[in-house]
Amino acid sequence: MHDRPVDQRIHDFGEVETGLTKSEAMHEAERCLQCKKPLCISGCPVNIDIPSFIREIAAGNFKKAAVIIKEQNMLPAICGRVCPQEVQCEGACILGNKDIPIAIGTLERFIADWERENGAVIPQKKALTGRRVAVVGAGPAGLTASAELARMGYSVTLFESLHEAGGVLMYGIPSFRLPKEIVKAEIDAVLSLGVDLRLNHLVGRSVTIQELLNYDAVFLGTGAGLPYFMNLPGENLPGVYSANEFLTRVNLMHADRFPLYDTPVKKGSRVVVAGGGNVAMDAARVALRLGGKVTLVYRRREEDLPARKAETARSKEEGIEFVMCSNPVRIIGDQVMTGVECVKMEMCDLDATGRPEPVPVEGSHFTIDADVFIAAIGQGPNPLLISELPELMRGKRGNVIVDEEFRTSLRKVYAGGDVATGAATVILAMGAAKQAAHAIDKMLREE
Ligand code: FAD
Ligand code: SF4
């Protein structure tokens, strides 16, 4: 995969990665061993027949490759761009033991882009069953559940509270990693299966719980969009954002083009971002493109950063300054923010997840000048709808509890994606949604 030069890409929101040529894709596909027991498939949560689509690429049959992928995955251009393949299919590829694994994600993206330019492949669907299923939330989980159920012959109504479908794919992940016209094209393919998308419908408010429960079954894919804050002194000063708000303003509301669009955002000249995941990297790179000098502060070591390695490397290349083993403790300023006070952290014992537990070092406080601060320290499940359903069992962090068939404690109500797992990944949300759709089908057929 090739990246646009740094000095070009940091001035716009155009895509960083430029993809493969036909001959590069065929050449890469030829490396596949076509294993008799391919490990890559079990590494893929939506079970794409990876060796078969790679074989078709090697033979130059791109349409056949698209048909194979679309059979299992309706969002391949998205997955090819943002899936953490290094720990999924590519992490399982046998070639990775001695050499470099096949670039499965890059090949999936190549085929999805080829398909978009050469006519969308729409998989077959069964005759209508006469049963109605409501899906709440049009993120990757809701879109996947909708596509799967529509293909099995259900009449699907997909409720989305925002004015655009896509969830985090539209409002969270910036267009330099995931262009929005690509997300829209894949959503259109899902809708072409007959899914009835209702935008600006907030279930629990503009759609009542009773209306929802009137459907034969319900899938909740409402995600984890509730940002956590650090509860720091000064957190209410202007210029302090959650990464969620900051990214939504720019990605969905086009604040970078204010006043052409009516939502503004403060373009900081010195920006501090707290956190070390994909969300933190995205917020930092957006702030950089808005013209800021950006410092990313993370409380653990560089090797503990949870963001994808490739995105961490790109963030560094683009000029984001990394301050590791440090944590913000105060936002400095009176009416106007002037800086962020941080403390150095020492890595002590391991925490419950096996990562080193950071502990503040006494007397190690230091200040970073800043006029914008962005907290990217995690999100919890969107509480609005699920708190309107008191019988729904929820975990400690507010996530909806589901069994192995994605059933919630409410009859005929299923859930999957971030609302059940807490903030995770696109492909895990899709994998869960697909399994939940099949469990709903089984339940309705057995009735
Ligand atoms: P969401 O995408 O959050 O979608 C939920 C949808 O439900 C939203 O559209 C919301 O508006 C709607 N909704 C909520 N409540 C209601 C209601 N009551 N009525 C109607 N609609 C409702 N993952 C990766 O795999 N790779 C990455 O590189 C990556 N980068 C990320 C970068 C950022 C900035 C963020 C925030 C996340 C990133 N993730 C990444 C995580 C990934 O995007 C999520 O795990 C995934 O989107 C979860 O999908 P979902 O469908 O469960 O939820
Ligand atoms: Fe090809 Fe790797 Fe899958 Fe084997 S594991 S079939 S080499 S992609």
Side-chain angles (χ1 to χ4, degrees):
M1 195 75 112
H2 315 286
D3 283 2
R4 285 168 61 216
V6 172
D7 55 346
Q8 258 181 34
R9 72 189 199 224
I10 58 169
H11 299 296
D12 63 39
F13 283 81
E15 193 169 13
V16 168
E17 293 182 352
T18 55
L20 298 180
T21 62
K22 281 184 190 174
S23 59
E24 283 169 341
M26 289 169 73
H27 193 65
E28 177 63 6
E30 279 161 14
R31 290 206 302 127
C32 177
L33 301 174
Q34 293 294 317
C35 306
K36 284 229 163 54
K37 288 189 183 154
L39 301 175
C40 49
I41 301 182
S42 46
C44 169
V46 293
N47 290 114
I48 297 175
D49 184 349
I50 294 167
S52 297
F53 97 73
I54 293 182
R55 187 174 57 236
E56 297 302 343
I57 297 180
N61 299 327
F62 301 148
K63 179 144 189 199
K64 276 194 182 163
V67 171
I68 294 166
I69 294 174
K70 275 291 185 66
E71 195 51 38
Q72 303 299 337
N73 181 3
M74 285 297 288
L75 309 176
I78 294 167
C79 293
R81 285 170 167 81
V82 301
C83 264
Q85 291 103 8
E86 60 280 9
V87 293
Q88 299 283 344
C89 52
E90 290 175 20
C93 173
I94 191 101
L95 283 177
N97 292 346
K98 283 202 176 136
D99 193 4
I100 303 167
I102 300 285
I104 301 169
T106 309
L107 292 175
E108 184 181 12
R109 169 195 159 136
F110 167 79
I111 286 300
D113 290 351
W114 179 90
E115 181 206 341
R116 208 174 44 259
E117 282 153 24
N118 292 275
V121 169
I122 307 296
Q124 298 218 314
K125 54 179 279 190
K126 292 185 181 157
L128 286 176
T129 60
R131 313 299 299 273
R132 296 158 64 238
V133 183
V135 175
V136 190
L143 288 165
T144 303
S146 299
E148 211 62 21
L149 287 160
R151 288 189 63 196
M152 291 187 280
Y154 294 97
S155 299
V156 179
T157 310
L158 173 57
F159 295 108
E160 169 54 51
S161 55
L162 296 173
H163 62 282
E164 295 265 17
V168 171
L169 307 174
M170 284 304 280
Y171 77 73
I173 304 179
S175 46
F176 55 79
R177 284 211 293 133
L178 183 60
K180 300 309 154 209
E181 62 278 10
I182 288 174
V183 180
K184 285 182 184 167
E186 298 211 319
I187 292 172
D188 285 347
V190 170
L191 299 183
S192 71
L193 292 166
V195 174
D196 175 13
L197 171 65
R198 306 216 183 141
L199 297 173
N200 301 306
H201 279 62
L202 179 62
V203 181
R205 293 286 187 275
S206 55
V207 178
T208 65
I209 299 295
Q210 198 45 56
E211 279 173 80
L212 182 70
L213 299 179
N214 281 343
Y215 282 81
D216 294 310
V218 173
F219 174 79
L220 302 178
T222 47
L226 179 74
Y228 296 141
F229 279 92
M230 300 179 81
N231 296 320
L232 303 177
E235 216 167 44
N236 289 329
L237 281 169
V240 177
Y241 292 96
S242 68
N244 226 299
E245 179 188 346
F246 181 75
L247 291 170
T248 303
R249 280 175 182 262
V250 177
N251 295 335
L252 192 69
M253 316 305 282
H254 312 292
D256 52 312
R257 284 178 265 164
F258 179 82
L260 212 57
Y261 288 83
D262 57 10
T263 301
V265 74
K266 183 166 178 191
K267 295 181 179 175
S269 55
R270 297 273 332 237
V271 181
V272 170
V273 177
N278 286 322
V279 184
M281 297 297 158
D282 283 346
R285 294 170 77 192
V286 166
L288 180 91
R289 282 161 174 76
L290 295 180
K293 178 176 182 319
V294 184
T295 307
L296 187 127
V297 179
Y298 181 55
R299 62 200 192 115
R300 292 189 164 96
R301 303 161 307 176
E302 187 161 338
E303 58 266 42
D304 304 317
L305 281 166
R308 291 185 73 187
K309 295 243 168 332
E311 302 306 343
T312 303
R314 290 188 178 111
S315 303
K316 275 193 158 178
E317 256 174 42
E318 291 177 3
I320 312 271
E321 186 195 1
F322 281 40
V323 175
M324 298 291 102
C325 299
S326 301
N327 208 25
V329 289
R330 183 166 70 102
I331 313 295
I332 305 169
D334 185 5
Q335 301 293 318
V336 178
M337 173 179 165
T338 57
V340 179
E341 183 181 332
C342 301
V343 66
K344 284 268 162 214
M345 306 295 277
E346 194 176 23
M347 298 307 120
C348 297
D349 300 334
L350 299 185
D351 70 9
T353 62
R355 292 190 300 173
E357 180 72 52
V359 175
V361 179
E362 222 173 290
S364 67
H365 291 232
F366 63 99
T367 300
I368 306 173
D369 292 339
D371 51 1
V372 163
F373 175 77
I374 303 169
I377 55 153
Q379 304 97 241
N382 287 321
L384 188 132
L385 170 58
I386 54 182
S387 56
E388 296 279 315
L389 296 165
E391 305 88 352
L392 205 62
M393 268 173 58
R394 289 162 68 186
K396 274 197 201 126
R397 308 207 91 185
N399 55 305
V400 173
I401 294 182
V402 292
D403 65 11
E404 67 288 350
E405 297 218 325
F406 299 89
R407 281 183 295 226
T408 69
S409 52
L410 266 179
R411 208 178 138 258
K412 295 191 177 186
V413 178
Y414 292 67
D418 281 6
V419 71
T421 53
T425 64
V426 170
I427 196 64
L428 290 177
M430 292 174 63
K434 210 170 151 180
Q435 290 184 54
H438 286 275
I440 290 173
D441 173 54
K442 183 166 160 260
M443 182 266 295
L444 290 176
R445 278 192 291 108
E446 281 171 4
E447 247 186 7

